[in-house]
Every structure is written in structure tokens, then in C-alpha cells.
Amino acid sequence: QVQLVESGGGLVQAGGSLRLSCAASGRTFSRYAMAWFRRAPGKEREFVAALTQTGSSTYYDDSVKGRFTISRDNAKNTVYLQMNSLKPEDTAVYYCAAKGGSVYRRALEYDYWGQGTQVTVSS
């Protein structure tokens, strides 16, 4: 069982930056592939980024590639999402998620979810 708690969301102007954190409970964090998803108002939840257990491989949706960076610190049981050059269309609730095994881009593949943190980008 893994419990995930996101933090770091807020209101930022377009072009600004935010860093989201997701703290995981338990001693098995390093066994999980981790991902960030987001849900904008009136839209489906969508994949943002993911990385493998060691962090050696990372994956991004095309909409955030080159602007967002996912990373993890297994010693701190934490995964991060550095978001730069933010756009109004990045406005959403951001969720972190965990799963054993390989990385997938589909939300249904993930077993554990945080409660989400709101990111609002003003134009």
C-alpha cells in the first residue's frame, strides 16, 4: 500500500514556473514507477509525465515536452514535476500516481493516486 500526497500547486502567470512534489509513504517507494496526470475543467484526465523506478527513463506528453521535467528522489520517497514556461492551457488539477512494473501512459494502469493539487496559470 502506498499513500501519495501532492503539494506545490498554486496560481502563476503565464511564462512562470512551479515545482510540484509528491510524497509517498512506505518503504517500497523505489519499487514503483511514478507518473503525473492532470485533469482540466470539463476534460478527461490526461497523461503528463512518468519515470521508471530508478528514474533512468522518463516519458512526456508532447504538450509538455521541453517545458516540464519529472524526477524522483528515492531516499526522500518523493517525485517531482518541474514546470517551466507555463501556459494557461496547463491549468488543471495535477495528480501523482504509482504502479508496480513498467511505465504506462494510461491512467487505468496505475494503482495508487494522490488527492491532487490545483495549478492555475493566468494569461
Side-chain angles (χ1 to χ4, degrees):
Q1 189 79 4
V2 176
Q3 291 185 323
L4 305 173
V5 179
E6 302 96 335
S7 61
L11 173 64
V12 64
Q13 289 188 330
S17 298
L18 282 175
R19 188 175 84 154
L20 305 183
S21 299
C22 174
S25 65
R27 293 177 289 179
T28 59
F29 176 72
S30 62
R31 297 181 184 177
Y32 293 93
M34 300 296 297
W36 288 95
F37 290 81
R38 67 186 180 187
R39 176 177 284 157
K43 294 188 177 181
E44 297 288 323
R45 184 169 44 186
E46 65 178 7
F47 172 79
V48 175
L51 78 175
T52 54
Q53 284 79 348
T54 63
S56 59
S57 296
T58 56
Y59 307 85
Y60 297 94
D61 185 77
D62 286 346
S63 65
V64 306
K65 200 173 294 183
R67 300 188 298 121
F68 291 11
T69 303
I70 188 171
S71 62
R72 68 191 296 163
D73 185 337
N74 285 345
K76 295 182 178 180
N77 282 11
T78 302
V79 63
Y80 304 97
L81 186 68
Q82 178 67 44
M83 306 186 295
N84 298 329
S85 302
L86 282 161
K87 305 175 181 180
E89 50 264 44
D90 295 318
T91 295
V93 177
Y94 284 71
Y95 301 88
C96 70
K99 68 176 299 292
S102 301
V103 169
Y104 284 91
R105 294 173 181 251
R106 294 192 306 169
L108 289 176
E109 299 289 343
Y110 286 79
D111 302 308
Y112 304 103
W113 292 84
Q115 82 290 349
T117 186
Q118 175 72 47
V119 172
T120 303
V121 184
S122 63
S123 57

